[in-house]
PDB file of all heavy atoms in Angstrom:
ATOM      1  N   TYR R  35       0.142  -4.993   5.916  1.00 95.00           N
ATOM      2  CA  TYR R  35       0.885  -5.248   4.692  1.00 95.00           C
ATOM      3  C   TYR R  35       2.363  -5.330   5.062  1.00 95.00           C
ATOM      4  O   TYR R  35       2.778  -4.863   6.115  1.00 95.00           O
ATOM      5  CB  TYR R  35       0.709  -4.107   3.682  1.00 95.00           C
ATOM      6  CG  TYR R  35      -0.595  -4.104   2.938  1.00 95.00           C
ATOM      7  CD1 TYR R  35      -1.752  -3.636   3.537  1.00 95.00           C
ATOM      8  CD2 TYR R  35      -0.678  -4.559   1.629  1.00 95.00           C
ATOM      9  CE1 TYR R  35      -2.969  -3.631   2.844  1.00 95.00           C
ATOM     10  CE2 TYR R  35      -1.879  -4.557   0.925  1.00 95.00           C
ATOM     11  CZ  TYR R  35      -3.015  -4.089   1.542  1.00 95.00           C
ATOM     12  OH  TYR R  35      -4.206  -4.081   0.858  1.00 95.00           O
ATOM     13  N   SER R  95      -9.116   2.093   7.782  1.00 88.00           N
ATOM     14  CA  SER R  95     -10.017   2.858   6.932  1.00 88.00           C
ATOM     15  C   SER R  95     -11.424   2.817   7.503  1.00 88.00           C
ATOM     16  O   SER R  95     -11.776   1.933   8.278  1.00 88.00           O
ATOM     17  CB  SER R  95     -10.026   2.324   5.498  1.00 88.00           C
ATOM     18  OG  SER R  95     -10.713   1.097   5.410  1.00 88.00           O
ATOM     19  N   ARG R  99     -14.517   3.228   0.118  1.00 57.00           N
ATOM     20  CA  ARG R  99     -13.159   3.062  -0.368  1.00 57.00           C
ATOM     21  C   ARG R  99     -12.638   4.321  -1.029  1.00 57.00           C
ATOM     22  O   ARG R  99     -11.483   4.387  -1.369  1.00 57.00           O
ATOM     23  CB  ARG R  99     -13.095   1.915  -1.366  1.00 57.00           C
ATOM     24  CG  ARG R  99     -13.433   0.560  -0.783  1.00 57.00           C
ATOM     25  CD  ARG R  99     -13.489  -0.471  -1.867  1.00 57.00           C
ATOM     26  NE  ARG R  99     -14.560  -0.201  -2.805  1.00 57.00           N
ATOM     27  CZ  ARG R  99     -14.717  -0.831  -3.954  1.00 57.00           C
ATOM     28  NH1 ARG R  99     -13.850  -1.750  -4.301  1.00 57.00           N
ATOM     29  NH2 ARG R  99     -15.712  -0.545  -4.757  1.00 57.00           N
ATOM     30  N   TYR R 103      -6.942   3.897   2.181  1.00 85.00           N
ATOM     31  CA  TYR R 103      -6.468   3.632   3.528  1.00 85.00           C
ATOM     32  C   TYR R 103      -5.649   4.805   4.061  1.00 85.00           C
ATOM     33  O   TYR R 103      -5.100   5.588   3.300  1.00 85.00           O
ATOM     34  CB  TYR R 103      -5.486   2.459   3.533  1.00 85.00           C
ATOM     35  CG  TYR R 103      -5.935   1.145   2.980  1.00 85.00           C
ATOM     36  CD1 TYR R 103      -4.977   0.173   2.703  1.00 85.00           C
ATOM     37  CD2 TYR R 103      -7.259   0.837   2.735  1.00 85.00           C
ATOM     38  CE1 TYR R 103      -5.322  -1.059   2.196  1.00 85.00           C
ATOM     39  CE2 TYR R 103      -7.614  -0.392   2.217  1.00 85.00           C
ATOM     40  CZ  TYR R 103      -6.643  -1.330   1.953  1.00 85.00           C
ATOM     41  OH  TYR R 103      -6.982  -2.555   1.453  1.00 85.00           O
TER      42      TYR R 103
ATOM     43  N   TYR I  36      -0.966   5.857  -4.555  1.00 95.00           N
ATOM     44  CA  TYR I  36      -0.391   6.253  -3.286  1.00 95.00           C
ATOM     45  C   TYR I  36       1.010   6.775  -3.534  1.00 95.00           C
ATOM     46  O   TYR I  36       1.714   6.339  -4.449  1.00 95.00           O
ATOM     47  CB  TYR I  36      -0.315   5.061  -2.314  1.00 95.00           C
ATOM     48  CG  TYR I  36      -1.611   4.738  -1.642  1.00 95.00           C
ATOM     49  CD1 TYR I  36      -2.604   4.010  -2.297  1.00 95.00           C
ATOM     50  CD2 TYR I  36      -1.879   5.179  -0.349  1.00 95.00           C
ATOM     51  CE1 TYR I  36      -3.798   3.720  -1.680  1.00 95.00           C
ATOM     52  CE2 TYR I  36      -3.072   4.888   0.276  1.00 95.00           C
ATOM     53  CZ  TYR I  36      -4.028   4.163  -0.397  1.00 95.00           C
ATOM     54  OH  TYR I  36      -5.222   3.883   0.216  1.00 95.00           O
ATOM     55  N   SER I  93      -8.729  -2.567  -6.363  1.00 87.00           N
ATOM     56  CA  SER I  93      -9.587  -3.403  -5.520  1.00 87.00           C
ATOM     57  C   SER I  93     -10.709  -4.006  -6.353  1.00 87.00           C
ATOM     58  O   SER I  93     -11.089  -3.476  -7.402  1.00 87.00           O
ATOM     59  CB  SER I  93     -10.146  -2.615  -4.345  1.00 87.00           C
ATOM     60  OG  SER I  93     -11.095  -1.669  -4.787  1.00 87.00           O
ATOM     61  N   GLN I  99     -14.904  -3.829   1.105  1.00 51.00           N
ATOM     62  CA  GLN I  99     -13.616  -3.172   0.990  1.00 51.00           C
ATOM     63  C   GLN I  99     -12.523  -4.165   0.659  1.00 51.00           C
ATOM     64  O   GLN I  99     -11.677  -3.892  -0.182  1.00 51.00           O
ATOM     65  CB  GLN I  99     -13.275  -2.452   2.288  1.00 51.00           C
ATOM     66  CG  GLN I  99     -14.179  -1.285   2.576  1.00 51.00           C
ATOM     67  CD  GLN I  99     -13.673  -0.489   3.755  1.00 51.00           C
ATOM     68  OE1 GLN I  99     -12.637   0.127   3.703  1.00 51.00           O
ATOM     69  NE2 GLN I  99     -14.415  -0.517   4.841  1.00 51.00           N
ATOM     70  N   LEU I 102      -6.551  -4.098  -0.845  1.00 85.00           N
ATOM     71  CA  LEU I 102      -6.012  -3.503  -2.056  1.00 85.00           C
ATOM     72  C   LEU I 102      -4.837  -4.337  -2.547  1.00 85.00           C
ATOM     73  O   LEU I 102      -4.047  -4.842  -1.756  1.00 85.00           O
ATOM     74  CB  LEU I 102      -5.541  -2.077  -1.793  1.00 85.00           C
ATOM     75  CG  LEU I 102      -6.604  -1.027  -1.487  1.00 85.00           C
ATOM     76  CD1 LEU I 102      -5.951   0.311  -1.213  1.00 85.00           C
ATOM     77  CD2 LEU I 102      -7.603  -0.923  -2.624  1.00 85.00           C
TER      78      LEU I 102
END
Side-chain angles (χ1 to χ4, degrees):
Chain R
Y35 283 78
S95 73
R99 296 174 296 170
Y103 303 166
Chain I
Y36 281 80
S93 70
Q99 293 188 67
L102 292 178

